[in-house]
Every structure is written in structure tokens, then in C-alpha cells.
Amino acid sequence: GILSGRHALVESPTGTGKTMALLCSALATQRYLAETTGFAPRIVFCTRTHRQIKQVVSELRRSPYRPVMQTVASREQGLCVQPEVLEVARDGIATSE
């Protein structure tokens, strides 16, 4: 699990209640690990729409957590943070044209 230093991938239906419960628990775990081990794992949160991003950011501002947030646009614009995924996305776009 997360406390043992492993990655977690969570999928849940869209909805701020469920999303915020999961995100806040991940942020609480991140804070705990940072305080107890000096290491804060990165949390990557993805959505499909800009509307969902705005909704989550708005809710996070009302939470006790102040994570560093960065919004990255879409894979089609070449803004993916993982080089391997970006390469596959570019190949897929090139072959579909």
C-alpha cells in the first residue's frame, strides 16, 4: 500500500465527494510520510475535463491541505510528463493522420 512506499492507482466515478475523500486521504498519507520519513511521494491526479479540474481545485482550497498544484493540458498538445507515454502518444497521432 501507500504507507509501504508503493504507488497507488485509484479509479472512482466522477463526483467531488468521492474524489475529495480519496484525494484528501492521499494528501494525509503524503503529509504523514513527509513528517515521519522526510520523504513526500508525488501524487498525480488526472481528470478528463477542465470542468473537473476547476471543481477539484475549488474543493481543495476549502480543505486543510495546500498541495503544490500544476495543471497540464492534454497528451495531444505534447505536455505529458512521462517521456515514454509522450512518445507513444506522438506515434499514435502521427499514424492516425
Side-chain angles (χ1 to χ4, degrees), residues 2 19-31 43 65:
I2 295 172
T19 300
M20 290 309 296
L22 292 168
L23 192 52
C24 285
S25 67
L27 289 166
T29 301
Q30 182 188 52
R31 180 182 286 176
I43 297 171
Y65 303 100

Side-chain angles (χ1 to χ4, degrees), residues 6-69:
R6 297 181 179 198
H7 297 277
L9 176 62
V10 180
E11 184 177 355
S12 177
T14 301
T16 301
K18 292 177 189 76
T19 300
M20 290 309 296
L22 292 168
L23 192 52
C24 285
S25 67
L27 289 166
T29 301
Q30 182 188 52
R31 180 182 286 176
Y32 170 79
L33 289 172
E35 291 172 356
T36 59
T37 69
F39 173 73
R42 183 185 310 188
I43 297 171
V44 178
F45 179 80
C46 304
T47 67
R48 293 182 330 171
T49 67
H50 290 155
R51 184 173 180 266
Q52 290 170 336
I53 292 169
K54 288 179 185 178
Q55 189 175 13
V56 169
V57 169
S58 174
E59 290 295 321
L60 268 176
R61 288 185 176 143
R62 292 191 266 162
S63 81
Y65 303 100
R66 297 293 176 262
V68 174
M69 293 183 268

